[in-house]
Amino acid sequence: MRIGVIGLGLIGGSFALAIRRAHPSAVVVGTDRDEAAIDAALQRGVVDAAATLPELGACDALMIAVPVRQMPELFARLSSHLQSNCVVTDAGSTKGAVIEAARTTFGAHVAQFVPGHPIAGRERSGVGAAAGELFEARHVVLTPLEENDPAAIDRVEQLWQSCGARVVRLEAGEHDRVFAAVSHLPHIIAFALVDELAARPNARQLFTFAASGFRDFTRIAGSSPDMWRDIALDNGAALAEECRRIEERLAALRRAIEARDGETLHTAMQRARAAREHWMAGELAGFRDDAA
Ligand code: NAD
């Protein structure tokens, strides 16, 4: 088995390491637009060898793990090199725009493209942060296309399962709406909070007294701006709607604070704490599920 990886960063590097661990006889090859990332991946033994696009298009499976707005141009360059036996997948955090780009650029080869998104990561980026166990017991969402050959979907599913992941399937639009709410919005809020405080004249004083709650809340503001700008733009409609909804929530809390309405504040906090406790305990039965 020959597996290719384009984008030897946190996710691509971790996927390569996990595949090598699960399939010791597999040959894993890769490339990156950054020569230093290729060198580091070779040095760390993340990949067996560097490869060109024609070589990558001839692999049995190919993982594309570059920032989402890099994908359209990359797909266009890759398209003419894709052999019919090569199943392609991606790790992009948004799916609608990536799929649109694949349909535009891959032509008939789009049947070989099974879109995916591993729900695992960390705020550090680059191959130095890659870890073979990153996907263990984590979800990977596949958003298969109607054009996909079921065998191609199975192959991608099996690869992820061999990395220890639990594969689930979602429709692409639903994926983008769900992750706008539970991932993209929290990142925007964390970036906004740190940016707001850092811009104030007394920023040094504020950060001197910021403690563990602030550190927990803003951990994700340490994430890659390249990646998150791309996600925010690609999933703009769903994310803008989430921003609007949270602005309304914040405005309601602000009005309660100004009105010294402790009951409204307490009720909202109580509801949020109970919901978080249920979620942390894995008890989802009490949540509404109108989508089911
Ligand atoms: P990263 O910055 O660690 O790695 C991305 C790599 O892609 C870098 O080495 C970069 O040089 C390379 N690259 C960029 N453009 C390229 C191009 N045109 N051709 C070849 N290589 C290129 O980022 P990451 O965290 O590994 O993210 C990769 C993808 O995985 C993104 O689409 C992201 O949305 C998705 N993702 C990230 C996380 C996370 O927590 N970091 C989680 C799930 C999915």
Side-chain angles (χ1 to χ4, degrees), residues 2-13:
R2 204 174 169 81
I3 307 281
V5 178
I6 304 181
L8 295 167
L10 170 70
I11 298 295

Side-chain angles (χ1 to χ4, degrees), residues 6-13 31-34 37 64-68 70-71 73-74 77 90-94 117-127 224 227-228 231:
I6 304 181
L8 295 167
L10 170 70
I11 298 295
T31 195
D32 197 286
R33 72 170 173 189
D34 178 3
I64 301 179
V66 302
V68 286
Q70 289 292 321
M71 291 196 193
E73 192 261 341
L74 180 60
R77 284 192 291 122
D90 77 305
S93 305
T94 62
H117 175 204
I119 314 305
R122 46 178 66 156
E123 63 282 9
R124 287 178 57 210
S125 48
V127 74
S224 159
M227 174 176 141
W228 282 97
I231 291 170

Side-chain angles (χ1 to χ4, degrees), residues 24 40 59 61 78 99 107 117 132 146 175 181-183 193 212 231 240 253 278:
C59 285
L78 177 67
I99 290 170
H117 175 204
E146 52 196 36
H175 167 281
V182 297
S183 171
L193 176 62
S212 59
I231 291 170
L253 291 176
H278 285 305

Side-chain angles (χ1 to χ4, degrees), residues 92-202:
S93 305
T94 62
K95 295 277 60 85
V98 169
I99 290 170
E100 199 182 311
R103 286 212 167 97
T104 310
T105 52
F106 283 157
H109 287 303
V110 80
Q112 298 163 231
F113 177 63
V114 182
H117 175 204
I119 314 305
R122 46 178 66 156
E123 63 282 9
R124 287 178 57 210
S125 48
V127 74
E133 64 282 359
L134 188 67
F135 308 113
E136 262 168 34
R138 308 304 291 270
H139 281 123
V140 168
V141 181
L142 297 185
T143 60
L145 310 178
E146 52 196 36
E147 299 93 321
N148 283 150
D149 175 358
I153 305 172
D154 287 348
R155 181 124 53 105
V156 174
E157 191 163 318
Q158 283 158 13
L159 280 177
W160 275 119
Q161 284 167 344
S162 73
C163 299
R166 299 182 188 138
V167 178
V168 293
R169 297 184 190 188
L170 273 183
E171 185 275 321
E174 193 172 16
H175 167 281
D176 286 356
R177 287 188 295 279
V178 166
F179 287 94
V182 297
S183 171
H184 309 169
L185 177 67
H187 278 81
I188 291 293
I189 294 173
F191 283 126
L193 176 62
V194 177
D195 193 31
E196 161 64 22
L197 299 190
R200 293 191 189 173
N202 65 337

